Amino acid sequence: NIVVMSLQKTDGLTPAKFIGFKNFVQLFTDDGFMRANLASLGLCLLAVICNAILAIAVSILLCTLGPKTQKILRTAFIIPLVLSISVISQLWLTIYHADWGLLNTMLDKIGLGFLQNEWLINPKTAMVCIAIVGMWWMFGMDLLMSYSGIKAIPESYFEAAQLDGAGFWQTVRHITLPLLKDVAKMCVTISAIGGLFTFPQVYIMTGGGPGDLTTTVMMYMYKQAFSNQRYGLAAAVGLVVILETCVVLA
């Protein structure tokens, strides 16, 4: 039980010792945990803005295009979703590579070599690169849900609006968005959870570095449990994250 374990000091080998709320006190006085927590909350907010909201906007515009164009673009956006986050992380690891990565190579080819960077080592760009990977992977899911939600709206509503002289933006404001409210809530929920629980791409691409700059709260919990054998502290982290998730999604 995670609640019971969070109140104990245990390394998984020796008998557990009850220590009350000392694990929680240690967490909230640990600068490393606070930085990791803020990083995860930042990723959560960024995922909601750049995934859920952007996906809804893109899906609305996508529905205005021809059927063939819709099919091609829809497939292109969904392709990353069929791959695991581990594969995606390895792919972007090669893109970001400082010596022979695709990103630096392309910048050099188009005459922007001065912008070349050690993307995953530079403290100014490392977390941004991590965020891009997660958002690129999850964008297709939000797009698919919002696109399906728009397609589920009866065509007669749009035809009636057109007969009444409503323009594109009026139709979006008074028909599409109100009827897409429940789908939008689901997109926001999934994106927020995805951002808050960011772990695989951090583990594969940076290991939480440079320093602890890209350490998310889930990476912090992993290190406490499997590197430091402090399972009670890791359980306390897990409980805090669960409570934060409930607050964010409330």
Side-chain angles (χ1 to χ4, degrees):
N1 188 302
I2 187 173
V3 177
V4 174
M5 187 179 290
S6 68
L7 302 176
Q8 297 176 336
K9 181 179 180 180
T10 175
D11 60 4
L13 297 175
T14 57
K17 178 183 177 182
F18 180 79
I19 59 172
F21 292 98
K22 288 185 179 179
N23 283 328
F24 294 96
V25 173
Q26 182 176 342
L27 280 183
F28 290 105
T29 55
D30 181 2
D31 291 339
F33 171 74
M34 298 306 292
R35 284 194 298 270
N37 203 26
L38 287 174
S40 291
L41 290 173
L43 288 172
C44 173
L45 179 62
L46 200 60
V48 169
I49 296 173
C50 296
N51 269 29
I53 297 177
L54 184 61
I56 292 170
V58 171
S59 61
I60 290 172
L61 295 175
L62 189 61
C63 290
T64 64
L65 304 176
K68 289 185 178 179
T69 306
Q70 285 187 37
K71 185 176 181 180
I72 293 171
L73 293 177
R74 188 174 67 241
T75 303
F77 283 125
I78 294 174
I79 284 176
L81 190 61
V82 303
L83 301 174
S84 73
I85 186 59
S86 299
V87 174
I88 294 293
S89 298
Q90 290 289 350
L91 171 64
W92 280 90
L93 197 58
T94 60
I95 292 175
Y96 287 137
H97 197 280
D99 297 324
W100 42 262
L102 179 62
L103 182 54
N104 277 346
T105 302
M106 289 298 296
L107 288 173
D108 183 56
K109 293 291 185 182
I110 62 176
L112 296 176
F114 62 94
L115 294 177
Q116 289 180 327
N117 202 346
E118 294 182 332
W119 302 100
L120 296 174
I121 300 177
N122 189 331
K124 295 181 179 179
T125 58
M127 183 54 85
V128 175
C129 292
I130 292 293
I132 289 172
V133 173
M135 290 186 295
W136 184 72
W137 179 57
M138 291 188 63
F139 184 79
M141 183 183 298
D142 290 331
L143 180 79
L144 184 61
M145 288 191 297
S146 54
Y147 179 83
S148 300
I150 294 173
K151 287 298 184 181
I153 299 174
E155 191 66 30
S156 57
Y157 290 9
F158 298 108
E159 292 174 353
Q162 189 175 11
L163 290 174
D164 288 340
F168 173 75
W169 294 113
Q170 290 176 312
T171 302
V172 169
R173 179 182 176 185
H174 297 291
I175 296 178
T176 307
L177 292 180
L179 295 178
L180 207 61
K181 184 170 63 175
D182 292 336
V183 175
K185 288 180 180 178
M186 183 60 68
C187 290
V188 169
T189 298
I190 291 176
S191 296
I193 292 174
L196 198 59
F197 285 79
T198 299
F199 172 73
Q201 57 267 45
V202 175
Y203 179 79
I204 293 171
M205 298 177 70
T206 65
D212 63 352
L213 186 65
T214 59
T215 297
T216 59
V217 72
M218 300 307 293
M219 189 69 193
Y220 181 91
M221 182 174 69
Y222 173 86
K223 287 181 177 179
Q224 295 302 327
F226 299 106
S227 296
N228 301 334
Q229 283 74 51
R230 302 167 75 177
Y231 296 106
L233 190 62
V237 176
L239 195 58
V240 170
V241 174
I242 290 172
L243 292 175
E244 285 181 343
T245 305
C246 293
V247 171
V248 169
L249 300 180

